[in-house]
Amino acid sequence: MSKGASLGRIAVAYVVAFAAATAWLVVGPDTPWLWLDALIADVIATLLIFVASRLHANSSFYDAYWSVLPPYLALYWWIAGGQGIGDVRAWLILIVIVLWAVRLTGNWVYSFPGLHHEDWRYPMIRQQAGRHGTAADLVAIHLIPTFQVFLGLLPVYVALVRPARGIGWLDWLALVVGLGAVALELVADTQMHRFVRTRQPGQVMDQGLWGRSRHPNYLGEIGFWFSLALFGISASPHDWWWLPVGTLLMIAMFLGASIPMMEKRSLERRPTYQDVIDRVPKLVPGVRRRTSG
């Protein structure tokens, strides 16, 4: 199947999924909390994407959901929360989220070859689960990321729905952090795409941002979610103790799962990648792991 036809099928699945989510939010039974209404709609959309994934035997149907959901929920909370179109903090949040979503979705579209391809991690997860492969697909590949993104968006809920303080310096700091994170990811993506087009067999990426951090894209992703936490704290300072939980879970996922899996695969395919591990910090430039001896 061509890339265009593949993207068309994925787009149809997303239209159906978000139409169902919107129908729930508009005509479905209300709960006492807007966050719970949104979570139910989120799960409904996720389940429909899962159905499409299984019908096409390809869980990469879910990949773009990570980036298209946040603008949808933020816009819903803004409208349903009644803060009004003149809310400056809401505009700042939407600017950061939309730019992040456009960059991440665009990068996925650019890199996605078509439905003949599936993210290499997904078959591995299903195979490790054995006869419970379908359940692992639903939970590990679809539902857990959905809940993780939702937790990361709770500061946005607080900022857009609850009565909040007026805009302050922390909002502007959040804007700078968010825009900087998006710019970091954009530059890292551009450098990686250029490298992939010109690399020699066995060559590993250690140029530009990738020569200062082995995973600058993940560093930018962490910065984005941290900026959302800052917006939430600015709106509701007394909730500072729990609003960064989503960001901390993102960090745990990247450090505990995503990065180790990526680096193990890189070493298996290109043993010279060990030299990059020895020379380049894992995530934050200038911060290196201590070695014994």
Side-chain angles (χ1 to χ4, degrees), residues 50-125:
F50 170 71
V51 170
S53 295
R54 291 301 84 223
L55 288 176
H56 291 81
N58 192 325
S59 292
S60 282
F61 255 83
Y62 181 84
D63 289 349
Y65 191 73
W66 179 284
S67 57
V68 300
L69 175 73
Y72 175 84
L73 287 187
L75 188 60
Y76 165 68
W77 283 329
W78 190 5
I79 294 172
Q83 297 289 1
I85 196 170
D87 189 307
V88 177
R89 178 181 290 117
W91 280 109
L92 298 182
I93 292 172
L94 261 293
I95 287 171
V96 171
I97 289 179
V98 168
L99 290 176
W100 168 84
V102 169
R103 185 216 64 82
L104 186 54
T105 308
N107 185 64
W108 175 79
V109 170
Y110 179 83
S111 304
F112 183 61
L115 285 173
H116 59 277
H117 166 84
E118 184 180 30
D119 188 298
W120 58 273
R121 291 166 290 193
Y122 301 161
M124 183 177 66
I125 290 172

Side-chain angles (χ1 to χ4, degrees), residues 120-121 124 128 204 214-215 218 254-274 277 282:
W120 58 273
R121 291 166 290 193
M124 183 177 66
Q128 290 176 346
V204 296
R214 300 203 299 274
H215 302 279
Y218 288 149
F254 292 141
L255 293 178
S258 299
I259 290 177
M261 291 174 68
M262 293 290 293
E263 298 205 327
K264 179 181 178 182
R265 186 168 187 259
S266 294
L267 285 170
E268 290 172 349
R269 301 174 70 189
R270 292 176 292 275
T272 54
Y273 185 68
Q274 183 62 52
I277 293 177
K282 178 186 295 185

Side-chain angles (χ1 to χ4, degrees), residues 14-54:
Y14 277 57
V15 168
V16 172
F18 280 96
T22 303
W24 170 269
L25 293 174
V26 174
V27 301
D30 292 330
T31 74
W33 305 282
L34 284 177
W35 67 264
L36 184 55
D37 293 330
L39 179 58
I40 294 172
D42 191 0
V43 171
I44 289 172
T46 299
L47 292 176
L48 290 173
I49 297 297
F50 170 71
V51 170
S53 295
R54 291 301 84 223

Side-chain angles (χ1 to χ4, degrees), residues 154-233:
L154 285 180
V156 175
Y157 170 81
V158 169
L160 297 181
V161 174
R162 292 185 181 179
R165 298 194 319 166
I167 191 169
W169 66 269
L170 195 55
D171 293 287
W172 299 109
L173 176 61
L175 177 67
V176 171
V177 171
L179 295 180
V182 173
L184 175 62
E185 292 181 295
L186 178 60
V187 173
D189 288 343
T190 303
Q191 292 177 346
M192 179 57 76
H193 292 318
R194 185 183 303 120
F195 170 76
V196 169
R197 289 195 302 267
T198 61
R199 68 183 171 187
Q200 301 299 316
Q203 186 179 4
V204 296
M205 177 54 152
D206 60 353
Q207 306 165 17
L209 294 176
W210 300 84
R212 296 178 178 273
S213 168
R214 300 203 299 274
H215 302 279
N217 51 340
Y218 288 149
L219 180 60
E221 191 71 7
I222 291 169
F224 165 74
W225 294 103
F226 181 62
S227 75
L228 299 188
L230 291 178
F231 279 120
I233 293 171

